[in-house]
């Protein structure tokens, strides 16, 4: 009897365990089904439309900081040459010499110039004497011709022509003398502007004035410099935020200098596809030297605000660039032209206006004219 009771109790316990296990399995299955149903509802809507993250196009000020290589050049630079042939009699300067405008730099010895000037001076005197004699004779003949029948008309013309010829000879002699006097002035070579002598190629006693020879001296004005920057074509449609920039040099990287924009070349170089922008740099302390390389820091901007998009919203293929606009719940491919790359955003041009709804993560797989549901992205 006791054994029968034990068996009955064991059977009841097994039934309870089986019942509890069945209930747990049903609850687990129900929970999993609910989670899968919820996940499916988040990714795929009942109507079969895809949900996509969107970006609302905005109108932004387009501004970018760029650093470009540049070169410092002298504000003025000249090669001093001898205009006439002769021997270098004296040279008063050497490299590093600071000169003032009009200062005597060198003297050329050309004795034949002085001889020709003396010769021409004597010819002036001879021509002047003939001119005065012809003038006096013409005036007397002309006065006598006022009385009818005294002087023949042909005789008057002859005297007049002689007077005009002697007058022309006299003027020619004066011009020739002036020419030799000017050549005499070329014997003294003077500085055309304030500056420093950067090169000397001749010494006293050298025969100078031959075509194709090296210049006697080279002079540069380094009190102010030209900072020449080759600006890539993509930035030539912009303007500087300020008319001045900052730059550093390789020789003095710890110092920051200022430069003011003064002119642009207004053409694109075919070889480099860039435009030359030239800045003026004051150099009173002579710290900067012509020929230095520099890094110019420019802040460029568009004159008008533009539309910018994140790079993920732009699709680039071999044929074109485009963004995907959502209009009335359907996708539309919009061709665009890319402007400035602003780092986190890219300036675009095309049929995109501020306020348009665009796909944030666009790709070629999302075709045009597809119904989608816009899903705003929290910033």
């Amino acid at each position: 009897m006791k054994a029968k009771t034990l068996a009955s109790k064991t059977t009841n316990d097994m039934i309870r365990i089986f019942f509890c296990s069945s209930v747990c399995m049903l609850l687990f299955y129900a929970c999993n089904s609910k989670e899968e149903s919820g996940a499916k509802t988040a990714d795929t809507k009942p109507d079969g439309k895809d949900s996509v993250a969107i970006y609302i196009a905005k109108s932004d000020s387009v501004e970018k900081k760029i650093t470009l290589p540049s070169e410092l050049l002298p504000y003025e630079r000249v090669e001093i040459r001898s205009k006439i042939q002769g021997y270098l009699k004296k040279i008063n300067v050497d490299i590093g010499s600071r000169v003032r405008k009009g200062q005597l730099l060198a003297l050329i010895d050309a004795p034949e110039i002085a001889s020709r000037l003396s010769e021409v001076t004597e010819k002036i005197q001879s021509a002047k004497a003939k001119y005065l004699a012809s003038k006096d004779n013409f005036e007397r003949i002309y006065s006598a011709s006022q009385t009818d029948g005294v002087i023949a008309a042909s005789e008057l013309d002859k005297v007049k022509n002689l007077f005009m010829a002697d007058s022309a000879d006299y003027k020619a002699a004066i011009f020739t003398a002036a020419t030799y006097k000017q050549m005499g002035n070329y014997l003294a070579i003077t500085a055309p502007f304030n500056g420093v002598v950067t090169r000397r190629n001749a010494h006293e006693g050298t025969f100078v004035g031959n075509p194709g020879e090296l210049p006697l001296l080279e002079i540069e004005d380094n009190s102010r410099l030209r900072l020449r920057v080759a600006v890539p074509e993509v930035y030539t449609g912009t303007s500087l935020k300020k008319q001045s920039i900052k730059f550093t040099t390789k020789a003095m990287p710890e110092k920051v200098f200022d430069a003011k924009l003064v002119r642009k070349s207004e053409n694109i170089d075919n070889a480099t596809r860039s435009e030359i922008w030239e800045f003026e740099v004051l150099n009173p302390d002579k710290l900067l030297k012509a020929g230095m390389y520099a890094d110019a820091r420019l802040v460029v901007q568009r004159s008008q605000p533009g539309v910018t998009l994140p790079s993920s919203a732009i699709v680039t293929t071999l044929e074109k660039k485009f963004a995907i606009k959502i209009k009335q719940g359907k996708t539309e491919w919009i061709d665009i032209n890319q402007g400035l790359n602003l780092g986190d955003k890219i300036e675009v041009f095309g049929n995109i206006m501020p306020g348009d709804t665009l796909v944030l993560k666009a790709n070629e797989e999302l075709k045009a004219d597809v119904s989608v549901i816009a899903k705003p992205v929290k910033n």
Side-chain angles (χ1 to χ4, degrees), residues 86-306:
Y87 291 93
L88 187 59
K89 183 177 182 180
K90 188 176 183 181
I91 185 165
N92 298 324
V93 294
D94 212 323
I95 61 170
S97 299
R98 296 203 170 274
V99 298
R100 307 291 298 176
K101 182 177 181 179
Q103 179 180 333
L104 180 64
L105 303 178
L107 287 173
I108 307 298
D109 185 17
E112 63 276 12
I113 299 295
S115 299
R116 294 296 298 274
L117 182 58
S118 298
E119 178 185 349
V120 172
T121 301
E122 294 301 323
K123 287 184 177 180
I124 289 178
Q125 298 302 321
S126 175
K128 182 178 180 181
K130 290 178 65 176
Y131 162 71
L132 292 176
S134 296
K135 181 182 179 183
D136 181 64
N137 186 39
F138 170 71
E139 288 176 349
R140 286 188 292 104
I141 296 299
Y142 178 77
S143 178
S145 67
Q146 299 304 306
T147 303
D148 293 339
V150 175
I151 300 296
S154 59
E155 183 67 19
L156 178 63
D157 290 341
K158 181 180 178 180
V159 172
K160 180 180 179 181
N161 291 337
L162 181 60
F163 164 63
M164 292 177 65
D166 290 340
S167 175
D169 288 342
Y170 177 48
K171 290 179 181 178
I174 292 175
F175 292 146
T176 303
T179 299
Y180 278 99
K181 285 181 180 178
Q182 184 61 49
M183 292 179 66
N185 293 336
Y186 294 148
L187 297 175
I189 299 177
T190 58
F193 51 76
N194 299 342
V196 60
V197 177
T198 58
R199 185 170 297 180
R200 169 180 165 172
N201 297 315
H203 301 273
E204 294 178 2
T206 305
F207 186 78
V208 297
N210 295 315
E213 67 182 8
L214 293 174
L216 303 180
L217 303 165
E218 291 184 19
I219 299 177
E220 295 180 357
D221 176 12
N222 293 333
S223 60
R224 51 180 175 166
L225 299 168
R226 301 173 188 263
L227 181 69
R228 189 164 291 178
V229 184
V231 178
E233 184 178 0
V234 67
Y235 300 117
T236 56
T238 65
S239 59
L240 285 179
K241 187 176 183 180
K242 297 181 180 179
Q243 290 301 101
S244 61
I245 64 169
K246 305 286 186 181
F247 71 93
T248 58
T249 62
K250 309 296 183 183
M252 294 175 286
E254 76 283 0
K255 292 185 178 294
V256 179
F257 301 92
D258 295 314
K260 181 181 179 182
L261 178 65
V262 290
R263 59 187 67 86
K264 298 180 181 180
S265 66
E266 297 189 4
N267 80 305
I268 303 297
D269 183 80
N270 288 330
T272 62
R273 305 308 306 167
S274 61
E275 180 185 26
I276 297 298
W277 290 10
E278 198 167 85
F279 299 80
E280 184 175 311
V281 182
L282 298 180
N283 190 31
D285 299 329
K286 308 299 187 295
L287 292 176
L288 299 170
K289 296 175 175 58
M292 281 183 170
Y293 288 107
D295 292 321
R297 304 170 187 171
L298 289 71
V299 181
V300 296
Q301 63 178 8
R302 297 287 186 192
S303 58
Q304 299 293 333

Side-chain angles (χ1 to χ4, degrees), residues 46-63:
D47 55 6
K49 296 181 180 179
D50 294 331
S51 63
V52 293
I54 62 170
Y55 176 81
I56 305 301
K58 300 176 182 178
S59 177
D60 294 332
S61 59
V62 179
E63 178 180 313

Side-chain angles (χ1 to χ4, degrees), residues 21-22 38 76 79 105 132 175 188 203 219 229 235 243 256 298 309 316 330 333 335 347-348 376-377:
S21 298
S22 299
E76 291 182 291
E79 296 180 345
L105 303 178
L132 292 176
F175 292 146
H203 301 273
I219 299 177
V229 184
Y235 300 117
Q243 290 301 101
V256 179
L298 289 71
L309 301 179
T316 302
K330 291 190 175 183
W333 285 15
D335 291 342
E347 178 189 25
V348 297
V377 177

